[in-house]
Amino acid sequence: MRLLSTIVACLALAGLVARGSAQDQSFREEPDSVAVRQGETVTLTCAIDNVAGIVQWTKDNFALGSDRALPGYPRFTITGDVNRGQYNLLVQDTLLEDDGTYQCQASPTETQQGIRSQNAQLTIYLPPDNPVIEEGSSVSVIAGQPKNVTCRADNGKPAATLTWWKDGQEITEGITYITEDAGEKRKNGVSILTLNPSVDDHGKVLTCQSSNPAMDANKETTTQLNVEHTPVVVVQSDPPLVEEGSSVSLSCESRANPGEVNYQWKKNGVVLAGENGQVLRLNNVRREDNLQVFTCDATNAVGTNSANITLSVQYGPEPLKTTGQVIVDRGTSATLVCKWSGNPSPTIMWTKKGSSSVLGTGDTLTFPIVDQSHSGTYQCTAVVPGSGEDSREVVLIVNGPPIISSFEVQYASSGDEGQIECLSSNSPPPSRMAWTWNGIMLDTGTEGRFTAEQRDVHGGRLSVLTVSKVQAGDFAEYNCTVWNRLGLTSKIITLRQKEPLPLAAIVGGAVAGLVLILVIVLLVFVFCHRRRKKQGASNESITRLEVRADGQETPPKEKVEIIHRDHEAAKDKVPPPPPQRKYYITADYDDRDYSSKTSLGAPPPWTPPGGTYQDYKNGNLYSNPYNNYSSYPAVSEHSYERASIASRASRASEAQKKPRMMTHV
């Protein structure tokens, strides 16, 4: 009976609903999804027009109730103006358990259907634990070998975002990120960094940084890389450029982890026994050592690494290849080759012998088209700055038609034997040489009084036409023709009579010879005469008296000694009265102008013993300076003596005072 009543009521309600009302209840504002940090307050909005049913909120499809206080949920409250249809859900001090899907609903009535809002997701954010690098505060890796480093931040909601940094530079490659379920809607964030460490990474700092919407600031943790590696080796030369014959030190610098390193030197791949230090000393380096490769092997616990250096030895130019002689035909090209070695590389210049003009540079000198003017000797000079220069010669021979280089006019005397010469001086050698005159052609052999002969001489081939007992009719023109494989050349040579030597020339030559003989005899006589007079004057000496500026004589200050070759004889003899002589005032040797002569005439020639004077001031020798003398007036011939200066020191003192001296001539 009760069931029947219920069915009737439902049918009646359905009928009422079917009939409908023009003012159905509807949502004016529906809740939106929102995310907040745990502990924050959030409001989910809900506004309904023409509310007819009962309004309530559900969480994860579970009704929270229709009372505004929501019993059993002390942090939940329905707020808003009911008269305006506002049924907002206020959640205070949110907790992780508040995370879920919420919906605002109005129940049906007899006349209206029930309504439900869209789902609103309330997300509660939780900060993760502090990030941790599982390998610890230091990570040991080997250079060149991949290594995984793991960073994690657990219990975050959502899972923490993890980023990697190396010495302040963000790493974006080689990262794998995963999340793990930590329960209660929490997640663990895990980041795996695959490192490819290099030597330069040693000591650098890796940073793992975590972030999450619930965090006010990012958090980070660090680890330092300890990159073990084989030695990084650098070999240096001191000096970098070694002069030939000098010494050089090769040093092997290494950077390694671990730092204990052993060394071994090699030359061109061959181990140098006993050379296991950081420095290799090479003495008396030769040019053969240039470009030799020296290797330093450095070994530590991780392995061995090597470095090479190519020795650079400075040396002067050394010829490698020279085309000593090049023979080409006229009109073709010619290339002269002259290769040198040297360090630094030589600068090569080409010149033609006898000329300083530079024709080209480099290993080769090329002439695109040559003629016979190109024939000659060329020099290639190689210069290495600081090491000198050297040169070699290359001969270029240009084949062409014959060249005749004989004189166009040649001479002979009547009645004597005469010769006419024809010289062919180029390449290739002549295949034929012939003389023609007065209708006669003669290569070699004899034709009457004419004989033709040929021979090789320096510079070419010579054909000589000999005429026996030259007659007047033989003074004529002779044609010399020369053939070779490139053509022929002819030249007219005129034979003329040799003029007899004029009588005047003969007489003049005889007179000149006679004069020359007389001059030689006179010179010998003068030489002998002067030598005898020098020997006669060898017992004489010079008396020098000081004269004051007023012309008065002053007694000598030094001790005066008698000088004579025979000192013992001089003790018992009284010197004869002096000959009549004149005195001329002169300056000291270093002040006297010997270039002027007086008007008194030249004095008699006189040379002291030994033939030279000693300049005691300057230590120089003078040959007889009295051949030239000054023009001071003559002084009385009284007060003279043969004297010599007792010491060089007192003489130097006189030179400083520079008194005027009287010279006995």
Side-chain angles (χ1 to χ4, degrees), residues 171-497:
I171 302 173
T172 59
E173 297 180 350
I175 299 174
T176 302
Y177 180 78
I178 61 175
T179 61
E180 300 172 347
D181 190 359
E184 299 181 353
K185 297 185 179 181
R186 297 171 183 265
K187 296 287 185 180
N188 299 332
V190 181
S191 180
I192 303 172
L193 171 64
T194 301
L195 280 174
N196 287 300
S198 67
V199 174
D200 294 333
D201 290 332
H202 179 68
K204 290 186 177 180
V205 175
L206 279 180
T207 301
C208 175
Q209 190 176 84
S210 69
S211 62
N212 173 280
M215 299 167 58
D216 292 327
N218 297 337
K219 294 184 178 181
E220 62 184 33
T221 184
T222 61
T223 186
Q224 190 171 36
L225 293 176
N226 177 33
V227 182
E228 296 182 353
H229 58 88
T230 57
V232 178
V233 186
V234 176
V235 180
Q236 295 180 327
S237 172
D238 182 23
L241 183 61
V242 191
E243 292 185 3
E244 186 177 23
S246 64
S247 300
V248 61
S249 294
L250 304 181
S251 61
C252 185
E253 303 294 334
S254 66
R255 178 164 56 96
N257 184 26
E260 186 176 348
V261 180
N262 296 319
Y263 299 93
Q264 178 61 60
W265 287 93
K266 299 176 183 177
K267 179 180 179 181
N268 296 329
V270 179
V271 173
L272 297 176
E275 298 295 345
N276 48 19
Q278 279 190 268
V279 178
L280 176 63
R281 181 74 174 175
L282 302 175
N283 297 317
N284 193 24
V285 177
R286 311 308 304 168
R287 65 183 59 190
E288 292 78 17
D289 296 321
N290 187 49
L291 301 182
Q292 300 299 300
V293 178
F294 290 84
T295 303
C296 174
D297 290 341
T299 304
N300 69 352
V302 179
T304 300
N305 204 359
S306 303
N308 300 327
I309 189 170
T310 301
L311 197 62
S312 181
V313 181
Q314 180 178 1
Y315 62 94
E318 181 177 9
L320 296 178
K321 178 182 179 182
T322 303
T323 52
Q325 186 179 78
V326 177
I327 303 176
V328 296
D329 289 345
R330 184 179 66 173
T332 62
S333 65
T335 298
L336 312 183
V337 178
C338 189
K339 293 185 177 181
W340 298 81
S341 68
N343 190 31
S345 296
T347 299
I348 302 173
M349 296 175 292
W350 290 88
T351 58
K352 193 171 186 179
K353 194 170 184 178
S355 172
S356 59
S357 298
V358 177
L359 304 177
T361 58
D363 292 342
T364 60
L365 177 65
T366 300
F367 300 100
I369 300 177
V370 296
D371 56 30
Q372 288 166 287
S373 66
H374 290 95
S375 294
T377 301
Y378 293 82
Q379 285 185 325
C380 63
T381 302
V383 179
V384 174
S387 297
E389 64 179 56
D390 198 358
S391 63
R392 291 293 183 271
E393 292 184 351
V394 179
V395 177
L396 175 61
I397 298 175
V398 179
N399 293 327
I403 296 176
I404 298 176
S405 55
S406 298
F407 292 110
E408 295 182 353
V409 177
Q410 301 182 26
Y411 296 90
S413 299
S414 295
D416 293 338
E417 180 181 88
Q419 288 186 338
I420 310 171
E421 296 181 346
C422 179
L423 176 64
S424 176
S425 58
N426 72 306
S427 178
S431 57
R432 181 185 179 191
M433 300 180 71
W435 293 93
T436 56
W437 76 100
N438 296 332
I440 301 173
M441 175 177 287
L442 184 62
D443 290 12
T444 58
T446 301
E447 181 70 29
R449 292 180 296 106
F450 296 88
T451 300
E453 296 177 328
Q454 297 179 15
R455 64 178 181 272
D456 293 325
V457 296
H458 179 71
R461 187 166 183 81
L462 179 66
S463 178
V464 179
L465 182 64
T466 302
V467 185
S468 62
K469 296 182 180 180
V470 176
Q471 300 176 3
D474 298 332
F475 298 109
E477 293 182 345
Y478 296 81
N479 188 330
C480 176
T481 304
V482 183
W483 291 262
N484 67 12
R485 64 180 178 82
L486 297 177
L488 63 87
T489 301
S490 295
K491 186 171 186 178
I492 300 298
I493 300 176
T494 302
L495 181 64
R496 292 184 180 174
Q497 173 140 358

Side-chain angles (χ1 to χ4, degrees), residues 571-587:
K571 293 180 180 179
D572 302 328
K573 294 180 181 179
V574 177
Q580 186 71 16
R581 299 185 183 277
K582 294 182 179 181
Y583 294 83
Y584 299 91
I585 295 177
T586 175

Side-chain angles (χ1 to χ4, degrees), residues 551 581-585 600 630-637 662:
R581 299 185 183 277
K582 294 182 179 181
Y583 294 83
Y584 299 91
I585 295 177
L600 301 178
S630 70
S631 58
Y632 287 96
V635 182
S636 170
E637 61 186 13
M662 184 181 304

